[in-house]
């Protein structure tokens, strides 16, 4: 439903999905996830057409990446604006730009899709992963002692695997 009162539940649902998938969020990542979700949903509520919007979240803990997407009925793509210090609105896309690893917007058949990708904190190995995937566990341990590298870039619109039994969003 396209209603300003739905921004808070959307933010809570995205965070709940991530935690339910077993993804550990530190304070900085949790704050960034909340702000990004809030800004994308708020923009869709304020500037889109139609009664509904869709929020989707994808996570790839092995690559330490998550993506939040918002689909709405408007064809107008969002743009970062320069606003004065006393302005009460207009900073949303600037915040998304600063908090996200990458972000973008594109038109779809039904309107547009606005997305933001963020880096997840290092995820601990579960006992199940150690037992069922010993090669992956060994590789993860090896990678922890290697100098950090920039994770591969997610392609907007591509389908990525989610943790076993996890959903990819809601309507």
């Amino acid at each position: 439903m396209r209603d300003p009162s739905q921004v808070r539940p959307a933010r809570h649902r995205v965070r709940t999905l991530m935690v339910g998938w077993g993804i550990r969020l530190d304070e900085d990542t949790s704050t960034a996830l909340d702000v990004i979700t809030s800004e994308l949903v708020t923009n869709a509520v304020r500037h889109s057409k139609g009664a509904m919007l869709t929020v989707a979240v994808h996570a790839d803990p092995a690559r330490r990446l998550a993506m939040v997407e918002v689909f709405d009925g408007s064809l107008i793509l969002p743009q970062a604006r320069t606003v004065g210090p006393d302005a009460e609105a207009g900073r949303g896309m600037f915040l998304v730009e600063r908090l996200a690893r990458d972000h973008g917007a594109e038109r779809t058949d039904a309107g547009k899709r606005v997305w933001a990708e963020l880096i997840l904190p290092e995820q601990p190995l579960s006992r199940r992963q150690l037992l069922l995937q010993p090669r992956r566990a060994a590789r993860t341990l090896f990678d922890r002692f290697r100098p950090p590298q920039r994770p591969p870039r997610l392609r907007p619109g591509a389908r990525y695997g989610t943790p076993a039994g996890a959903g990819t969003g809601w309507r």
Side-chain angles (χ1 to χ4, degrees), residues 18 57-69 101-104 106 113 115-120 150-162:
M18 298 285 277
V57 60
H58 308 272
D60 187 344
R63 292 174 49 201
R64 295 183 50 207
L65 294 172
M67 181 181 287
V68 176
E69 299 174 293
R101 175 181 179 266
D102 201 4
H103 71 285
E106 60 214 15
R113 170 182 164 265
W115 58 272
E117 169 187 292
L118 63 140
I119 297 174
L120 297 171
R150 183 177 174 149
R153 183 180 165 112
L154 289 177
R155 290 176 303 139
R159 295 290 176 193
Y160 296 98
T162 56

Side-chain angles (χ1 to χ4, degrees), residues 35 39 41 44 48 50 53-54 74 88-90 93-94 133-134 142:
V35 171
E39 294 303 331
V41 173
S48 71
L53 63 93
T54 302
S74 173
E88 293 185 17
M93 291 312 295
F94 174 78
Q133 301 172 354
F142 175 77

Side-chain angles (χ1 to χ4, degrees), residues 9-123:
R11 184 176 58 236
H12 177 73
R13 178 71 173 139
V14 167
R15 193 176 338 108
T16 301
L17 280 171
M18 298 285 277
V19 171
W21 292 339
I23 296 172
R24 185 179 61 82
L25 299 173
D26 60 18
E27 188 176 341
D28 292 340
T29 308
S30 183
T31 300
L33 182 66
D34 287 350
V35 171
I36 286 169
T37 302
S38 293
E39 294 303 331
L40 295 183
V41 173
T42 298
N43 280 347
V45 166
R46 286 187 180 169
H47 304 291
S48 71
K49 298 176 182 176
M52 297 295 289
L53 63 93
T54 302
V55 178
V57 60
H58 308 272
D60 187 344
R63 292 174 49 201
R64 295 183 50 207
L65 294 172
M67 181 181 287
V68 176
E69 299 174 293
V70 176
F71 299 84
D72 66 51
S74 173
L75 294 175
I76 300 170
L77 300 178
Q79 295 179 344
R81 299 187 298 176
T82 304
V83 296
D86 295 330
E88 293 185 17
R91 293 181 183 83
M93 291 312 295
F94 174 78
L95 290 172
V96 170
E97 182 179 305
R98 295 291 184 229
L99 294 171
R101 175 181 179 266
D102 201 4
H103 71 285
E106 60 214 15
R107 290 182 179 90
T108 66
D109 292 339
K112 73 171 173 291
R113 170 182 164 265
V114 183
W115 58 272
E117 169 187 292
L118 63 140
I119 297 174
L120 297 171
E122 195 168 312
Q123 302 296 307

